[in-house]
Amino acid sequence: MKRIFLTSALAISMIVPAFAETTAPDIEAGATSASCDSGTLNTTDGTSTLSAQWTANEINLKWYNGETEFATNTCTYDGGITLPASAPQRVGYNFAGWQVLFDLSTLADKIDINGYILASRNANSDNCYHVNENTGDTVASKTCTESIFADYNANEWRVGFEYGTVKGIARCSTTPGGVLETGNPADSGGGQYCWCQATGYATSGSNSFANVSSPSWVFYDDRDYAGLCAYGCAGLCAYGVWDDSGFRSAVFGLEIEYEEPEFD
């Protein structure tokens, strides 16, 4: 998995107001037992104002040309991004810039957290789904004319988590698959086999989605016939990512272990 960063960055400056003319000596980050005395607080009674001191994080950047690492450098949070000294070359194309991708595998420590909201628009435009546990809206089946689905394309799904929103697409293919299998299902325009892929991620409170790096198609289910798949595949993808940590791991590109059950 990888992240690729844009050609430009917005540098944001932050001004911290001064609360006092004198500045207290630095107190080590994480200290819990700094002395409460005039040497530290510059006062023996009354009120002393303390101001938080910050050091910007350094972020490692990796630049990719397709699947090949092209360059590496770093940037400082809230600062600018220095582009590679040269641009990738491809015969028959003009280089148009860089694109930020999000690596869903970086959410590994949150993989056991289920979603609280989901929505999907199936290939059959008369069948959409929406669940929001925060508002108590647990009636899943909806008509696709409702406003919540206004910007959804056919076969699109989204799942909201406390940390952000993952969106993706569904495909009813003629290519069969196995449990949690990844593959390249044929886009035949109709089939009984339901496949799911994550395509974007937005942090909590944001409506701006970054494309997902190296997305994989993950098999969900054999729906018996093409019409049934078209009626509910996107909804099944949303439910799987929302409520199944194993399926969510596969869609997020994490390594998973699955053992076939044994029968006597």
Side-chain angles (χ1 to χ4, degrees):
M1 295 291 183
K2 54 183 178 292
R3 292 182 181 175
I4 307 173
F5 286 79
L6 285 171
T7 52
S8 62
L10 177 63
I12 303 174
S13 62
M14 180 170 62
I15 300 174
V16 181
F19 293 99
E21 292 184 359
T22 57
T23 301
D26 291 342
I27 299 174
E28 183 180 352
T32 57
S33 58
S35 299
C36 182
D37 57 24
S38 58
T40 300
L41 301 178
N42 291 321
T43 185
T44 57
D45 60 7
T47 299
S48 181
T49 300
L50 304 182
S51 177
Q53 304 296 306
W54 302 95
T55 301
N57 289 332
E58 185 176 77
I59 300 171
N60 296 320
L61 305 180
K62 292 185 177 182
W63 307 79
Y64 281 81
N65 180 13
E67 297 296 321
T68 303
E69 186 175 297
F70 181 76
T72 61
N73 60 10
T74 63
C75 68
T76 302
Y77 187 79
D78 264 349
I81 293 177
T82 301
L83 302 180
S86 60
Q89 303 295 317
R90 184 177 180 183
V91 176
Y93 290 83
N94 293 320
F95 179 65
W98 297 96
Q99 182 183 46
V100 175
L101 300 181
F102 185 81
D103 184 353
L104 285 175
S105 69
T106 60
L107 301 176
D109 61 333
K110 302 177 175 63
I111 204 64
D112 291 327
I113 302 174
N114 286 340
Y116 71 91
I117 185 171
L118 68 82
S120 66
R121 186 185 189 112
N122 293 291
N124 183 322
S125 61
D126 294 329
N127 190 35
C128 288
Y129 292 95
H130 180 239
V131 174
N132 189 336
E133 292 184 339
N134 285 353
T135 62
D137 183 2
T138 58
V139 180
S141 184
K142 299 283 186 179
T143 60
C144 296
T145 57
E146 296 187 34
S147 59
I148 189 173
F149 305 110
D151 64 341
Y152 280 57
N153 297 314
N155 283 322
E156 184 177 338
W157 55 266
R158 299 181 193 180
V159 179
F161 299 88
E162 63 182 33
Y163 53 82
T165 300
V166 177
K167 73 174 182 177
I169 54 177
R171 175 176 292 178
C172 290
S173 176
T174 55
T175 304
V179 176
L180 300 183
E181 179 182 342
T182 59
N184 187 26
D187 187 6
S188 57
Q192 68 191 60
Y193 302 105
C194 178
W195 293 78
C196 311
Q197 182 187 82
T199 59
Y201 176 75
T203 57
S204 181
S206 172
N207 292 320
S208 179
F209 284 88
N211 290 336
V212 171
S213 61
S214 302
S216 296
W217 284 105
V218 181
F219 181 73
Y220 187 90
D221 193 21
D222 178 354
R223 303 304 292 157
D224 295 331
Y225 59 94
L228 185 60
C229 186
Y231 189 79
C233 183
L236 293 174
C237 292
Y239 272 103
V241 172
W242 176 55
D243 196 43
D244 185 332
S245 61
F247 186 74
R248 187 161 54 241
S249 295
V251 172
F252 285 16
L254 298 169
E255 292 186 4
I256 56 175
E257 295 183 359
Y258 176 78
E259 296 182 0
E260 291 285 351
E262 296 181 359
F263 300 96
D264 294 331

